[in-house]
């Protein structure tokens, strides 16, 4: 397919944007816009360059921006914090797109302590929400957070981003959205469609079709606020770390975790990482992150795993509940792990509700809903990655097959180490997140990694595995794998796109959904 012609932003449109958000709310020069690109992309490559970055401060301003975009048929691409590094960051699919950054729409609109939820604008970061909870005297409420707390609550949720507390399982936390549509109209999903309804952020459905999922990983509207369920701090919290000494034991470990989840012993989302990935958690044991270095031999990896004590794979998990329940579940996990010969179970401490201020370790903080930036300290600035993340049944043999497929291709085609984390985000499936790491100053290595990621998408697709999110450079390839019945799924999505956004201004090409006018250009 052809590449869409780069968009050229008319000066008259720039004037109207300035009228809406002010001169200081419009960035135009390369120097101004350089920080609104993916830092994990080769920086001399301007393929996905924008023409402007806008900073609205209200829903009304977003509606006005959409009106201008309709008048000039300007492709808009939205980001909340723009921290989607490794997937394209804030960059859009069409060169010359106008980026809408929500960093100035950063208000926590509501905290309901009784029903344990918050309502936030898209610029609110995890660390902002945590601070708002503290300031309002509600820090007994926990947020299900990712590893790095600088991202947006809304942005991460809309891109199916992973978080670790029980509400992180299958994206249970997001609920109730306010959305600006392509025609500028304002929509509220679910019970929010009833003026003054008090259950908007409490009940995930409504009357008729449930629309919220239509605005996740899509280009049908712009979310300007969203509810997010919080979890009351438990009486007891037990973070744990379990080792898998030999690579051959991964298969059995996966099956054990599945059964512990199905039994309700593990409620949050654990993460299983291979030795090199664990350097982000144990830099004192494993040294500086080596994902982009030359390939380690199996003997070298095993020696590193043995010497550090973290194993060829290590699993971070947490248990929550009353003290007696947590104590019992610690015993259940420990007993189950005896099947892993030589496997170690580290449970140094159970934190009680009043001891939250004593949680200091990175992994312990994340699983306790304490957002932080600690992981950023362990990865060198020049190292980037592209994520390839297929969804796989939570069956040891299936996971092993996919891990081996990816590992062999990464080592052979890219010539870098295999960096992997496995996330069981529900009881029955997991995401095998493989980061193709590279030196962002090395164009050849960067391009080889991007090419390898595309190849991985296609090779895994042949075996029936699909991405759960994709880098902007290969969104079309990832979408192509969803090909049942002559791509009936994509056709249905395109039908919706053409109906709700006839001029194709909202995030054209996002996850393979192009508006009619651009589909025709790409196919001609």
């Amino acid at each position: 397919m052809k590449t869409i012609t780069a968009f050229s932003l008319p000066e008259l449109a720039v004037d109207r944007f300035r009228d809406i958000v002010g001169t200081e709310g419009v960035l135009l020069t390369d120097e101004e816009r350089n920080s609104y690109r993916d830092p994990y992309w080769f920086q001399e490559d301007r393929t996905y360059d924008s023409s402007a970055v806008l900073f609205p401060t209200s829903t009304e301003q977003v509606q006005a921006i959409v009106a201008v975009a309709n008048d000039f048929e300007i492709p808009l691409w939205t980001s909340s914090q723009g921290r989607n590094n490794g997937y394209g960051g804030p960059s859009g699919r069409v060169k010359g797109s106008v980026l809408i950054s929500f960093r100035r729409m950063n208000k926590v609109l509501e905290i309901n302590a009784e029903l344990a939820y918050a309502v936030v604008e898209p610029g609110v970061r995890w660390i902002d929400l945590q601070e708002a909870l503290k300031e309002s005297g509600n820090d007994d409420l926990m947020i299900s957070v990712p590893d790095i707390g600088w991202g947006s609550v809304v942005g991460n949720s809309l891109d199916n981003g992973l978080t670790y507390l029980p509400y992180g399982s299958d994206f249970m936390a997001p609920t109730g959205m306010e959305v600006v549509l392509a025609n500028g109209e304002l929509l509220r999903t679910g019970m929010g469609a009833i003026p003054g309804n008090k259950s908007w952020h409490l009940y995930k459905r409504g009357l008729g079709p449930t629309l919220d999922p239509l605005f996740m990983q899509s280009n049908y509207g712009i979310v300007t606020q969203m509810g997010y369920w919080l979890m009351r701090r438990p009486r007891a919290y037990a973070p744990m770390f379990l080792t898998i000494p030999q690579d051959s034991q991964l298969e059995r470990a996966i099956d054990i975790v599945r059964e512990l989840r199905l039994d309700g012993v593990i409620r949050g989302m654990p993460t299983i990482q291979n030795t090199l990935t664990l350097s982000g958690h144990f830099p004192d044991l494993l040294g500086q992150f080596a994902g982009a270095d030359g390939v380690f031999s199996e003997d070298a990896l095993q020696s590193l795993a043995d010497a550090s004590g973290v194993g060829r794979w290590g699993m971070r998990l947490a248990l929550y509940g009353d003290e007696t329940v947590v104590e019992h579940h610690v015993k259940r996990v420990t007993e189950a792990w005896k099947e892993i010969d030589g496997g170690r179970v580290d449970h140094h401490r159970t934190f009680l509700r009043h001891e939250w201020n004593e949680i200091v370790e990175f992994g312990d903080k994340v699983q306790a809903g304490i957002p932080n930036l600690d992981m950023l300290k362990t990865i060198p600035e020049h190292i980037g990655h592209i994520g390839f993340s297929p969804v796989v049944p939570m069956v040891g043999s299936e996971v092993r097959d996919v891990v081996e497929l990816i590992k062999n291709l990464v080592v052979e085609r890219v010539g870098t180490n295999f960096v992997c984390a496995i996330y069981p985000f529900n009881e029955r499936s997991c995401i095998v997140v493989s980061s193709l790491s590279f030196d962002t100053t090395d164009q050849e290595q960067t391009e080889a990694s991007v090419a390898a990621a595309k190849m991985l998408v296609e090779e895994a697709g042949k075996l029936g595995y699909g991405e759960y999110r994709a880098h902007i450079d290969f969104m079309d390839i990832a979408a192509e794998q969803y090909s049942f019945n002559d791509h009936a799924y994509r056709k249905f999505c395109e039908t919706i796109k053409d109906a709700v956004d006839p001029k194709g201004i909202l995030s054209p090409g996002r996850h393979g959904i192009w508006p009619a006018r651009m589909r025709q250009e790409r196919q001609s």
Side-chain angles (χ1 to χ4, degrees), residues 108 110-112 116-120 129 133 201 226-230:
V108 177
E110 180 184 358
I111 294 173
N112 189 308
Y117 72 87
V119 182
V120 297
L129 180 53
L133 290 171
H201 302 298
M226 185 187 79
Y228 198 79
W229 283 354
L230 307 173

Side-chain angles (χ1 to χ4, degrees), residues 407-416 448-449 451-452 455-456 459:
K407 177 182 177 181
N408 292 337
L409 290 171
V410 167
V411 171
E412 293 170 7
R413 304 284 184 92
V414 189
T416 58
S449 296
M455 174 266 300
L456 285 170
E459 292 299 320

Side-chain angles (χ1 to χ4, degrees), residues 371-412:
N372 63 86
L373 305 179
D374 295 357
M375 182 177 277
L376 294 176
K377 304 171 186 176
T378 66
I379 302 177
E381 288 187 7
H382 67 285
I383 296 299
H385 67 259
I386 290 181
F388 168 65
S389 314
V391 179
V392 181
M394 193 67 180
V395 176
S397 57
E398 291 268 3
V399 174
R400 166 57 66 190
D401 288 346
V402 174
V403 164
E404 288 301 314
L405 168 71
I406 299 172
K407 177 182 177 181
N408 292 337
L409 290 171
V410 167
V411 171
E412 293 170 7

Side-chain angles (χ1 to χ4, degrees), residues 278-289 374 377-379:
L278 287 168
S279 60
H281 299 269
F282 302 103
D284 52 330
L285 297 175
L286 294 165
Q288 192 177 52
F289 179 77
D374 295 357
K377 304 171 186 176
T378 66
I379 302 177

Side-chain angles (χ1 to χ4, degrees), residues 58-71 76 178-188 220-222 224 500-503 505-506:
S58 69
T59 296
E60 292 74 20
Q61 288 187 355
V62 175
Q63 291 175 290
I65 290 169
V66 167
V68 175
N70 271 301
D71 289 345
L76 301 174
E178 180 179 86
V179 186
V180 174
L181 302 177
N183 63 2
E185 290 184 354
L186 198 61
L187 167 75
R188 286 187 171 179
Y220 299 150
I222 300 174
T224 52
V500 301
D501 183 13
K503 292 190 177 181
I505 61 168
L506 300 183

Side-chain angles (χ1 to χ4, degrees), residues 69-381:
N70 271 301
D71 289 345
F72 293 93
E73 297 191 358
I74 298 170
L76 301 174
W77 191 275
T78 57
S79 69
S80 297
Q81 279 291 322
R83 308 291 189 186
N84 201 16
N85 298 348
Y87 289 98
S91 299
R93 294 291 314 276
V94 177
K95 186 173 184 178
S97 292
V98 170
L99 308 184
I100 299 177
S101 172
F102 284 115
R103 291 190 182 184
R104 296 181 185 176
M105 283 184 66
N106 58 359
K107 294 189 289 295
V108 177
L109 301 172
E110 180 184 358
I111 294 173
N112 189 308
E114 184 178 23
L115 294 169
Y117 72 87
V119 182
V120 297
E121 290 184 325
V124 173
R125 302 170 299 171
W126 307 100
I127 51 180
D128 297 328
L129 180 53
Q130 175 75 2
E131 187 60 31
L133 290 171
K134 288 181 180 179
E135 290 179 356
S136 62
N138 293 303
D139 56 351
D140 63 323
L141 295 174
M142 300 193 300
I143 318 159
S144 186
V145 300
D147 284 312
I148 303 176
W150 66 356
S152 157
V153 177
V154 172
N156 180 274
S157 299
L158 294 184
D159 217 25
N160 293 348
L162 304 175
T163 61
Y164 294 102
L165 271 67
Y167 284 136
S169 295
D170 261 348
F171 320 109
M172 288 192 294
T175 175
M177 301 175 185
E178 180 179 86
V179 186
V180 174
L181 302 177
N183 63 2
E185 290 184 354
L186 198 61
L187 167 75
R188 286 187 171 179
T189 63
M191 289 295 179
I194 301 175
N197 185 273
K198 296 180 180 180
S199 299
W200 182 16
H201 302 298
L202 312 178
Y203 179 65
K204 288 181 175 288
R205 293 169 291 282
L207 181 66
T210 301
L211 301 182
D212 298 60
L214 282 176
F215 301 106
M216 300 179 73
Q217 288 197 353
S218 80
N219 50 14
Y220 299 150
I222 300 174
V223 176
T224 52
Q225 64 172 275
M226 185 187 79
Y228 198 79
W229 283 354
L230 307 173
M231 176 177 160
R232 205 169 303 285
R233 189 181 294 176
R235 291 178 182 272
Y237 157 65
M240 304 178 72
F241 182 78
L242 284 63
T243 67
I244 305 170
Q246 303 292 325
D247 188 50
S248 59
Q249 297 169 314
L250 174 64
E251 190 170 326
R252 182 60 194 139
I254 292 292
D255 291 335
I256 292 172
V257 173
R258 180 192 66 238
E259 295 306 311
L260 289 171
R261 289 217 60 178
L262 285 168
D263 278 354
V265 175
I266 300 176
R267 293 172 51 227
M269 189 178 70
T271 174
I272 305 168
Q273 301 177 322
N274 69 356
T275 307
L276 292 181
T277 315
L278 287 168
S279 60
H281 299 269
F282 302 103
D284 52 330
L285 297 175
L286 294 165
Q288 192 177 52
F289 179 77
D293 293 351
V295 178
F296 287 17
S297 68
E298 282 295 306
D299 288 343
L301 285 171
Q302 191 62 55
S303 295
L304 181 61
D306 293 340
S308 65
V310 302
R312 288 298 298 274
W313 298 84
M315 179 168 67
R316 186 184 75 194
L317 64 85
L319 306 172
Y320 312 87
D322 287 349
E323 289 181 66
T324 53
V325 172
V326 168
E327 182 181 356
H328 174 69
H329 284 169
V330 167
K331 291 178 180 177
R332 286 283 308 276
V333 171
T334 303
E335 184 65 28
W337 215 245
K338 289 180 180 178
E339 291 192 41
I340 305 298
D341 187 31
R344 193 178 74 247
V345 176
D346 293 344
H347 168 234
H348 299 300
R349 179 177 177 182
T350 293
F351 295 91
L352 302 183
R353 181 177 286 173
H354 65 278
E355 297 174 331
W356 239 248
N357 63 340
E358 299 175 28
I359 301 172
V360 296
E361 297 297 329
F362 159 68
D364 296 351
K365 286 194 284 188
V366 169
Q367 295 181 112
I370 303 172
N372 63 86
L373 305 179
D374 295 357
M375 182 177 277
L376 294 176
K377 304 171 186 176
T378 66
I379 302 177
E381 288 187 7

